[in-house]
Amino acid sequence: KAALFLQAEVRYLSRQYNFEHTKKVAAILESPGSGLIKWENISGDGIDTQKLETQPLPKTQFHTVPAWIGDAKKTADIQKDFQEWIYRSGSLKLKSNTALKVVASPDMNQADFRKKCTEAAQSAIEKETAKVEQTYTTKISALQRKIDSQELDLKAAENAVSQRNLEGLATGGAAVLGMLTGRKRSLSSTISKVRMASAAKDKKIAEEETLKQLNEQLQELQKTKEAAIKEVNDKWAEVAAQENEITVN
């Protein structure tokens, strides 16, 4: 039985969503009828016309070819109506994640779409985390240099205390020896050494406190860095979970 075969290649292009897709739509019309053709009832996916049989099966009988198929104007009007129907109804509804600029292809399943979103989010995480790392690495390095310098200052203060303690022992020993031998030692010299020993201890305590504060600042800075990285991960995880629908005409 003769029928009119129509097939169109439909191309979709959206620069906004970086989406490009091509598909074929086919229809077999056995009778145009007297009203509007319901193309949605007789259309489907495209076919490879090279795979159609060219010879009839044995004992095949043929209907008379209807006159309308031989009417060039009629078939031209039908072709135009088919194309217009595709244009009017051929919009694609696609899953998308606009924040990540991810658009699912028409045949993509949910699992693959989620995987694509996760990969896009991971790429964004890596880029943003690298910026956070760079910012905090600079700050941490500068603070670590201060700590290293402060440790040297503390070491010098500790050495000064040790030196004053040794001088104090020597002064005390000399005083005892002077009492035994009858030699007098200057009282002012002894007081001066005691003061210097006390000042050295005070400086050591101050240097220790400064070092403690710097180490606390370092710990706080590292915590802030970790919090910033977590914030980046949480933000993009939330973005990756988003899903909406777009229409491509």
Side-chain angles (χ1 to χ4, degrees):
K1 186 176 181 180
L4 188 65
F5 171 72
L6 305 97
Q7 180 159 274
E9 183 176 77
V10 190
R11 297 172 185 170
Y12 297 85
L13 176 63
S14 172
R15 300 191 189 282
Q16 179 183 356
Y17 300 114
N18 192 28
F19 175 79
E20 189 171 355
H21 179 68
T22 301
K23 72 172 185 177
K24 286 185 177 180
V25 180
I28 296 177
L29 181 65
E30 295 185 358
S31 171
S34 57
L36 294 174
I37 300 173
K38 300 291 185 180
W39 293 109
E40 60 273 15
N41 297 332
I42 59 172
S43 63
D45 295 335
I47 64 172
D48 185 354
T49 55
Q50 299 298 318
K51 294 182 179 180
L52 293 175
E53 296 290 342
T54 58
Q55 297 298 323
L57 295 174
K59 299 182 180 180
T60 295
Q61 294 182 343
F62 296 93
H63 287 255
T64 302
V65 178
W68 66 269
I69 288 183
D71 185 339
K73 183 178 183 307
K74 180 70 173 177
T75 55
D77 289 342
I78 290 172
Q79 176 179 323
K80 182 179 179 183
D81 187 59
F82 178 62
Q83 291 174 325
E84 290 178 349
W85 169 76
I86 290 175
Y87 186 80
R88 291 193 311 271
S89 63
S91 298
L92 293 178
K93 302 290 185 181
L94 303 172
K95 290 189 290 290
S96 73
N97 185 312
T98 51
L100 292 171
K101 297 182 180 179
V102 171
V103 177
S105 60
D107 56 349
M108 183 178 287
N109 60 38
Q110 183 68 17
D112 288 341
F113 174 70
R114 293 258 57 91
K115 181 181 178 182
K116 194 172 182 181
C117 290
T118 300
E119 290 172 349
Q122 187 58 42
S123 177
I125 286 171
E126 289 172 2
K127 290 179 181 178
E128 197 163 332
T129 299
K131 292 179 180 178
V132 172
E133 290 277 3
Q134 184 177 5
T135 298
Y136 281 93
T137 295
T138 302
K139 293 179 180 180
I140 289 173
S141 296
L143 189 53
Q144 188 61 59
R145 286 193 295 271
K146 287 184 179 181
I147 290 173
D148 293 341
S149 177
Q150 185 60 31
E151 285 176 344
L152 292 175
D153 290 344
L154 176 57
K155 187 67 175 176
E158 289 173 341
N159 290 337
V161 169
S162 298
Q163 182 65 31
R164 295 304 177 191
N165 287 339
L166 289 174
E167 290 176 356
L169 289 173
T171 300
V176 172
L177 183 61
M179 290 174 63
L180 294 173
T181 59
R183 285 184 170 181
K184 294 182 179 180
R185 184 172 181 82
S186 171
L187 181 60
S188 62
S189 175
T190 301
I191 292 173
S192 177
K193 290 186 181 299
V194 169
R195 286 176 176 171
M196 285 191 290
S198 178
K201 288 179 182 179
D202 291 343
K203 183 170 178 57
K204 175 178 171 290
I205 292 171
E207 298 292 6
E208 286 174 338
E209 181 61 27
T210 300
L211 181 60
K212 178 185 175 184
Q213 292 174 358
L214 289 173
N215 279 317
E216 287 174 350
Q217 289 176 25
L218 179 61
Q219 290 177 0
E220 190 63 32
L221 194 57
Q222 288 170 336
K223 287 180 182 178
T224 305
K225 173 189 169 183
E226 291 169 3
I229 292 174
K230 183 179 183 301
E231 184 180 349
V232 169
N233 280 273
D234 291 346
K235 179 184 75 173
W236 287 107
E238 185 178 339
V239 170
Q242 295 174 5
E243 181 178 328
N244 46 23
E245 187 178 74
I246 63 167
T247 300
V248 179
N249 296 319

